[in-house]
Amino acid sequence: MRAVVIRRTGGPEVLEVEEVEAPVPGAGEVVVEVAAAGLNFIDTYQRSGLYPVAVPFTPGLEAAGTVRSTGPGVSDLTEGDRVAFCSSLGAYAERALVPAADLVPVPDDVSSDTAAASMVQGLTAVYLATSTYPLEAGASCLVHAGAGGVGLLLIQIAKRLGATVYTTVGSDEKAEIARAAGADHVIAYRREDFAERVREIGGDRPLDVVYDGVGKATVPAGLGLLRRFGLMVAFGNASGAVDPVDPLVLTANGSLFFTRPTLFDHVAERETLLAKSEQLFAWIADGLDVRIGGRYRLEDAADAHRAIESRATTGKILIDP
Ligand code: NDP
């Protein structure tokens, strides 16, 4: 079968398609025929070496498709079942070998494309808005990169929960997309100082929580926008890894809380993976829009990485095997 293989870390050019042995499921494992894999920013961190992964490896943590075969001990899945996953490496391939415990059933009313497009970014938006800082009516949040994969879903979920949403975007086209998703205040942070603009709109320190997946470029200024005891959620490194934060900075800004969560802790237990997926799929059935902003062939995975790293994408990018 064909799969993308990374033999050394580096730029997008290290993503190469190879003919590899088709996987055979061992105990507790399932071979999934991949219908579509999802591109996530984390794929670029693993490719570049920012997040170390032993080489060689096939990238991609997320896909949806159908069960092709199951190994010993897998009793609740059979050939043809539609499934999706968000935490098992090897998605950029025609078939993926996945522990059965990492698979969730995809409901009939959710397409495989939508499932592949929503597992990582959708479950991330769900845990950020319901667990890390449970939003409720009257809460005020800032979502950076609001036209991105996580951003668009988080804006919509935050609005469903009744929050006021400030968001930042990198272009006018992205501003329109974030506005259409329901954001109350859209800030073009490549043109204007986002912190100044948030203060102009909401007054001094108007935010309960900042959801920051941009990282290095934005986290320090975000700390100055939070109310006393507010929460900074630094959940990504799109502009680079966040510089260390002196605890006394949290004191000086009003006894703030600072967290650096990862999806993998939120789906480590099977019950939470299933519960959060059910919540996500229920919201999708109820109109949560999963925007697919582009698709690339397996052979063009390097172009997909170039696009997301150069801020050229909106919503979700799929990789078609
Ligand atoms: P996006 O689709 O949001 O793409 C990243 C966006 O970040 C870009 O489109 C761009 O939007 C913005 N950005 C700002 N500065 C830069 C820069 N210097 N280089 C590149 N992009 C920049 O990606 P994802 O939705 O996949 O992920 C968003 C963030 O969330 C990432 O940091 C990712 O690692 C993180 N993440 C974390 C998870 C967790 O559990 N901790 C899980 C999933 C994602 P704009 O042009 O509008 O600025």
Side-chain angles (χ1 to χ4, degrees), residues 7-157:
R7 297 201 166 272
R8 60 189 164 89
T9 55
E13 70 284 353
V14 302
L15 297 162
E16 299 223 42
V17 175
E18 293 185 11
E19 195 63 38
V20 300
E21 292 263 314
V24 177
E29 291 179 332
V30 174
V31 172
V32 177
E33 191 87 40
V34 175
L39 170 68
N40 290 291
F41 220 94
I42 190 173
D43 304 348
T44 70
Y45 308 147
Q46 293 179 330
R47 186 211 71 219
S48 70
L50 178 65
Y51 291 179
V53 177
V55 290
F57 69 98
T58 290
L61 294 163
E62 169 186 56
T66 49
V67 171
R68 186 181 171 99
S69 56
T70 57
V74 179
S75 54
D76 54 346
L77 289 168
T78 49
E79 194 183 336
D81 286 352
R82 290 176 63 240
V83 290
F85 59 92
C86 64
S87 57
S88 186
L89 259 183
Y92 291 16
E94 289 178 315
R95 284 174 224 153
L97 185 63
V98 186
D102 289 351
L103 290 169
V104 299
V106 178
D108 290 344
D109 56 1
V110 175
S111 72
S112 295
D113 278 359
T114 300
S118 61
M119 287 297 289
V120 168
Q121 294 165 342
L123 292 176
T124 298
V126 168
Y127 88 70
L128 289 174
T130 63
S131 299
T132 305
Y133 187 97
L135 292 170
E136 54 188 15
S140 197
C141 65
L142 169 59
V143 175
H144 283 297
V150 175
L152 275 178
L153 294 162
L154 186 51
I155 289 171
Q156 293 177 73
I157 291 172

Side-chain angles (χ1 to χ4, degrees), residues 46 145-146 155 158 165 176 192 204 254 257 269 277 281:
Q46 293 179 330
I155 289 171
V165 181
E176 281 314 306
E192 45 190 352
D204 195 29
F257 293 85
E269 304 296 332
S277 306
F281 291 142

Side-chain angles (χ1 to χ4, degrees), residues 10 13 15 18 52 57 66 68 105 117 144 147 150 152 160 179 181 191 197 208 219 225 235 241 247 278 310:
E13 70 284 353
L15 297 162
E18 293 185 11
F57 69 98
T66 49
R68 186 181 171 99
H144 283 297
V150 175
L152 275 178
R160 274 171 185 259
R179 221 170 263 123
R191 258 205 316 264
R197 188 76 191 109
D208 297 299
V219 164
L225 299 173
F235 68 95
E278 269 171 36
S310 65

Side-chain angles (χ1 to χ4, degrees), residues 259-280:
T259 186
R260 204 323 181 170
T262 168
L263 171 64
F264 305 118
D265 283 321
H266 287 271
V267 297
E269 304 296 332
R270 177 121 186 102
E271 305 85 75
T272 22
L273 169 64
L274 290 176
K276 287 201 160 31
S277 306
E278 269 171 36
Q279 172 68 82
L280 174 66

